[in-house]
Amino acid sequence: MRRRPILLCYRPLGLGDLLVIVPALRALADHFPNHRRLLVTPRCWEPLVRLAGGVDVVIDTPRHTISHTPFVPPPVYRPDVVVNFQGRGPDSHLMLKTLGPSRLIAFDSAAAGVAGPRWRPGEHEVAKWCRLLSDSGIPADPRRLRLPVPGRLPPARAVGAVLVHPGAAYGARRWPAERWAHVVKHTRELGREVVVTGSRGEADLAREIATAAGLDEGAVLAGRTDDVLDLAAAVAAADVVVAPDSGPAHLATALGRPSVTLFGPSSPRAWGPPRDEPRHRVLWHGTTGDAFTESLDPGLARITADEVLAALETLLAEPVRGE
């Protein structure tokens, strides 16, 4: 029996990084319906990949976060098509070339000997990866971002609540805990239920914020939503999501939930929700910086708790909040 041709996509990054390539993954599934479609990404995202569709196999890999993290070659020999969703090379391009693909779809890199579409600094991440495909002869629609609601029960306290996710992978995106507590406290004074999410490693931060804001332990979901579908179910059940530019903010976009997102050091021009969706509020003071440092980004630090509350109150006042 003739083997199915193999299409391999490479995206060894975080949750938000995965969600922005969903339209591109769907475009590849349409264009290569007979290929066995593999995605190289951390195994923890596999349930969400299944929810999005378009991928047959997830190949686990360490999460690549900073420039000196080595690229780990996936255990695939001579794939027919490889798509590099990591970046513009050359290191990831060179690693993927060692697999011996018949075709490598990637951004242009003279250093790696790869001819492809030109990289455009500052381009929105969703549009960027769709353009990589479109300019390579594969039609891709960046509007295909939506995910179905996961088929599992959300935490009861999350239903109709304001979901606050204060954590982030690096300190550059961690808005001060005392400001989060101020937002949570005043949101409760508006008569709204609030839950605080996070990973197990962020549980202490979530409890600190909840205690300062006068919330009981039951409102702390951090550590109880480590599975990505549990987090997605909580986001889908919430009325509004408030978060820095992180995975939960991108989940809110994917699941059609209203959101307030605090930007810095990244720009909403590159990472923000679709501009034509009024259910989202973006706070940004116009500066960018290093996303991989532990020092709080100065632009993010300039966002005040009152700004966040004002944006949140406009969403809570809307008669219809999301779909």
Side-chain angles (χ1 to χ4, degrees):
M1 180 181 295
R2 183 181 178 184
R3 76 169 179 89
R4 291 174 64 188
I6 293 175
L7 164 68
L8 183 141
C9 300
Y10 190 72
R11 187 69 166 175
L13 298 170
L15 175 56
D17 305 287
L18 170 66
L19 291 169
V20 297
I21 68 163
V22 164
L25 291 175
R26 289 170 169 167
L28 288 168
D30 291 345
H31 195 78
F32 297 102
N34 298 319
H35 282 58
R36 183 170 171 80
R37 298 180 296 275
L38 317 179
L39 174 63
V40 181
T41 199
R43 178 73 67 191
C44 57
W45 309 140
E46 183 171 9
L48 208 63
V49 172
R50 301 294 180 200
L51 191 67
V55 173
D56 298 311
V57 177
V58 170
I59 299 176
D60 189 25
T61 191
R63 180 177 173 182
H64 194 281
T65 54
I66 49 180
S67 59
H68 55 75
T69 305
F71 290 104
V72 179
V76 180
Y77 178 65
R78 299 190 67 81
D80 296 87
V81 182
V82 168
V83 184
N84 189 1
F85 287 126
Q86 163 65 27
R88 56 179 164 177
D91 293 344
S92 57
H93 290 10
L94 291 169
M95 182 278 291
L96 292 171
K97 286 177 71 174
T98 67
L99 303 179
S102 300
R103 182 185 182 189
L104 174 60
I105 299 174
F107 281 108
D108 188 82
S109 173
V114 173
R118 304 288 294 181
W119 180 272
R120 296 175 184 169
E123 185 174 15
H124 195 282
E125 286 291 305
V126 177
K128 174 188 298 178
W129 301 113
C130 285
R131 183 177 61 83
L132 172 65
L133 299 185
S134 297
D135 288 359
S136 302
I138 301 166
D141 184 351
R143 295 171 297 180
R144 298 176 70 186
L145 273 171
R146 286 298 183 86
L147 295 180
V149 174
R152 64 176 59 182
L153 288 175
R157 293 283 289 268
V159 178
V162 174
L163 186 151
V164 171
H165 188 97
Y170 287 88
R173 287 194 175 102
R174 294 189 202 120
W175 201 50
E178 61 272 18
R179 297 189 203 176
W180 283 117
H182 181 84
V183 169
V184 171
K185 181 175 183 292
H186 282 266
T187 303
R188 286 287 292 131
E189 290 172 354
L190 293 173
R192 301 305 303 247
E193 183 77 66
V194 181
V195 294
V196 186
T197 58
S199 65
R200 287 188 179 91
E202 295 164 342
D204 287 345
L205 171 64
R207 291 191 187 96
E208 175 189 346
I209 292 167
T211 299
L215 295 184
D216 63 80
E217 181 68 20
V220 178
L221 302 184
R224 295 158 54 191
T225 53
D226 274 6
D227 180 285
V228 71
L229 286 192
D230 286 336
L231 177 60
V235 167
D239 263 8
V240 181
V241 174
V242 188
D245 175 31
S246 59
H250 289 277
L251 271 176
T253 298
L255 293 164
R257 304 316 302 149
S259 67
V260 177
T261 306
L262 288 64
F263 278 87
S266 56
S267 163
R269 295 170 184 165
W271 289 95
R275 295 183 182 182
D276 60 350
E277 292 193 6
R279 62 170 62 88
H280 302 294
R281 299 289 185 273
V282 165
L283 300 176
W284 184 49
H285 279 271
T287 62
T288 58
D290 184 357
F292 302 114
T293 180
E294 286 303 317
S295 299
L296 176 64
D297 177 71
L300 181 61
R302 284 162 53 190
I303 297 175
T304 68
D306 286 343
E307 286 180 83
V308 177
L309 283 166
L312 177 58
E313 287 184 37
T314 64
L315 287 177
L316 294 175
E318 293 290 332
V320 178
R321 295 183 293 274
E323 294 177 359

